Amino acid sequence: MGTLDGDSAYKLLVGAVQPRPIAWVSTISREGIPNLAPFSFFTVASRNPATVLISVTQRVDGAPKHTLVNASEMGELTISIPGRGDLDAVQVSSEEVGPDVDEHQLAGLETLPSDEIAAPRLAAAAISLECVLDRIVEVGSDHLILARVLKLHAAPGVFDARHRVDNSVLQPLARLAGPWFSTVENAIPAPSAQRAGA
Ligand SMILES: Cc1cc2nc3c(=O)[nH]c(=O)nc-3n(C[C@H](O)[C@H](O)[C@H](O)COP(=O)(O)O)c2cc1C
């Protein structure tokens, strides 16, 4: 891998590591302009304290992405989980527009104020995580944003009383390689769960 150019390495890695969940990240700039962008290099970093991470590359012109700048300057972000009906809006919100453009508005998405932080959250999201910045770690060409989750908002029916998620309600959207996305409609139970009749 070390001898490959960045683009080839990227293509191999996004082919190897899929499907990937999508963090739809809302931040607010120092000037008070909200920002929204999707990130599929996204996972749980720690259960306790509850911490998630996203990996951020550079904009096409080489400048830092607004999400990284805002998270580092303001120390806050919300992460919403897009559903299958959000594909168009996810795509629109990934456009590399200027810092004065609010991609929530560009994508026609309503926001709500967060409870614990200034960054807004998506009103229609089935799940939103209110987060504060834990740290930013430079890894090679990119930056990891590690974010501690202060509060999780879930729409009715997404979790049951035992905190089990209902994917028929959440309908999470996943990122594959190239232009492809996926849903989780073909989920299959583990053989042990099948034997137990779950
Ligand atoms: C589904 C999807 C997933 C993406 N995942 C990432 C990612 O993991 N890391 C990244 O740096 N950019 C990713 N992008 C590109 C960013 O969303 C895009 O560069 C965006 O304009 C960044 O916005 P910002 O400068 O407002 O932060 C992704 C785009 C899409 C459509």
Side-chain angles (χ1 to χ4, degrees):
M1 292 293 284
T3 58
L4 292 174
D5 64 275
D7 192 45
S8 301
Y10 169 80
K11 283 185 180 153
L12 290 173
L13 289 168
V14 295
V17 184
Q18 58 165 336
R20 295 180 305 283
I22 300 171
W24 217 358
V25 182
S26 299
T27 52
I28 194 157
S29 71
R30 209 154 39 185
E31 292 71 34
I33 313 280
N35 190 85
L36 175 70
F39 295 86
S40 72
F41 290 7
F42 165 48
T43 194
V44 175
S46 167
R47 293 164 303 145
N48 187 17
T51 307
V52 293
L53 74 79
I54 59 170
S55 172
V56 185
T57 66
Q58 295 74 39
R59 291 168 72 95
V60 173
D61 65 4
K65 295 195 178 181
H66 299 150
T67 302
L68 180 66
V69 174
N70 294 350
S72 108
E73 290 183 352
M74 306 301 285
E76 298 179 341
L77 55 153
T78 68
I79 296 180
S80 298
I81 306 298
R84 64 168 300 149
D86 293 317
L87 183 50
D88 285 346
V90 162
Q91 214 55 91
V92 169
S93 70
S94 77
E95 284 171 26
E96 296 200 352
V97 291
D100 50 336
V101 177
D102 175 356
E103 294 92 346
H104 301 88
Q105 285 185 4
L106 198 64
L109 298 165
E110 303 262 319
T111 58
L112 288 172
S114 291
D115 294 341
E116 315 259 343
I117 60 173
R121 62 189 177 95
L122 289 176
I127 295 178
S128 288
L129 311 174
E130 293 188 21
C131 303
V132 287
L133 181 67
D134 173 74
R135 72 196 81 170
I136 291 175
V137 182
E138 197 175 336
V139 181
S141 54
D142 303 327
H143 290 84
L144 300 182
I145 297 178
L146 285 130
R148 190 152 45 80
V149 182
L150 300 184
K151 186 160 193 173
L152 184 154
H153 299 268
V158 172
F159 291 103
D160 70 12
R162 291 169 57 196
H163 302 141
R164 293 177 305 188
V165 72
D166 184 342
N167 274 335
S168 69
V169 180
L170 182 61
Q171 300 192 334
L173 191 62
R175 184 82 168 105
L176 304 177
W180 296 96
F181 288 78
S182 180
T183 58
V184 297
E185 274 142 23
N186 295 324
I188 48 173
S192 54
Q194 254 169 340
R195 279 194 296 275

